[in-house]
Amino acid sequence: QKEVEQNSGPLSVPEGAIASLNCTYSDRGSQSFFWYRQYSGKSPELIMSIYSNGDKEDGRFTAQLNKASQYVSLLIRDSQPSDSATYLCAVTPSGGSTLGRLYFGRGTQLTVWP
Amino acid sequence: DGGITQSPKYLFRKEGQNVTLSCEQNLNHDAMYWYRQDPGQGLRLIYYSQIVNDFQKGDIAEGYSVSREKKESFPLTVTSAQKNPTAFYLCASKTERNYGYTFGSGTRLTVV
């Protein structure tokens, strides 16, 4: 079983602050990493994907990947109350096909207060 | 618009009943997946299919069955053998390229 670990939170930050969400994974050969946002009662929505070591920026979101440390993070700059949601980290296993499954962490609940 | 449609949005099952959850996609995705989500447990894989007429068990397949007769459709049956079926069920699909899933809007199943 491939493990994907996230701090369950809740993580609470004030509006305008940087929210930092962390994820570690057990499969050293994993190649693809994803962050999903899930609002309460809704389905997950893909917000970031990252495949290479380093940083990837998209608007207020930055994903950071360190394969040597088996660590992926998501930074949300200028956090807004609308960012309040559960954030799921997902990882593809090594050796699988490109149509294979993802492994998900349990999610980190983020609350941004005005 | 392309997407994944799950129906119904809410479903109630009596003890001993089988129920079927629908999942249809018009994204031309090859692979489709069923996950179950319980509070505090994250997403757990039930079944997945990478090609028509073929599917594989996930981590919690007991008490569930699926079929993949068409590329667009991947229905999930929750059988009476599933003793604790109350959960949020999510269907997803994926292309061969290295992208993440696209999810449907989910079906919330409750045992009454």
Side-chain angles (χ1 to χ4, degrees), chain B residues 15-39:
Chain B
E15 295 284 349
Q17 266 187 344
N18 292 352
V19 292
T20 297
L21 284 59
S22 172
C23 179
E24 304 276 335
Q25 55 101 357
N26 60 4
L27 299 165
N28 199 33
H29 285 180
D30 292 299
M32 298 185 73
Y33 310 80
W34 275 105
Y35 281 85
R36 167 179 173 149
Q37 188 173 38
D38 297 276

Side-chain angles (χ1 to χ4, degrees), chain A residues 1 31-32 34 36 38 40-46 49 51 88 92 97-107, chain B residues 9 30-31 33 35 37 40-43 45 50 59 88 90 94-101 103-106 108:
Chain A
Q1 179 70 298
Q31 295 295 321
S32 304
F34 306 93
Y36 286 84
Q38 186 176 25
S40 181
K42 303 297 184 182
S43 62
E45 171 193 12
L46 180 65
S49 58
Y51 309 107
L88 302 171
T92 56
S97 78
T98 54
L99 293 176
R101 63 174 297 171
L102 297 181
Y103 285 88
F104 285 84
R106 294 189 175 191
Chain B
K9 189 171 182 178
D30 292 299
Y33 310 80
Y35 281 85
Q37 188 173 38
Q41 296 240 24
L43 296 174
L45 182 64
Q50 297 176 322
D59 303 319
F88 188 43
L90 289 160
K94 187 179 184 297
T95 67
E96 200 168 30
R97 291 170 293 177
N98 208 11
Y99 298 152
Y101 294 157
F103 281 94
S105 57
R108 196 165 298 277

Side-chain angles (χ1 to χ4, degrees), chain A residues 7-18:
Chain A
N7 291 332
S8 61
L11 174 65
S12 182
V13 301
E15 184 174 357
I18 296 175

Side-chain angles (χ1 to χ4, degrees), chain A residues 55-85:
Chain A
D55 295 359
K56 179 182 178 182
E57 187 175 316
D58 184 0
R60 296 186 296 111
F61 298 99
T62 299
Q64 299 175 317
L65 175 60
N66 184 328
K67 290 185 179 179
S69 300
Q70 295 173 240
Y71 175 92
V72 58
S73 66
L74 179 70
L75 301 177
I76 306 174
R77 292 183 303 280
D78 188 24
S79 295
Q80 302 297 310
S82 58
D83 294 325
S84 299

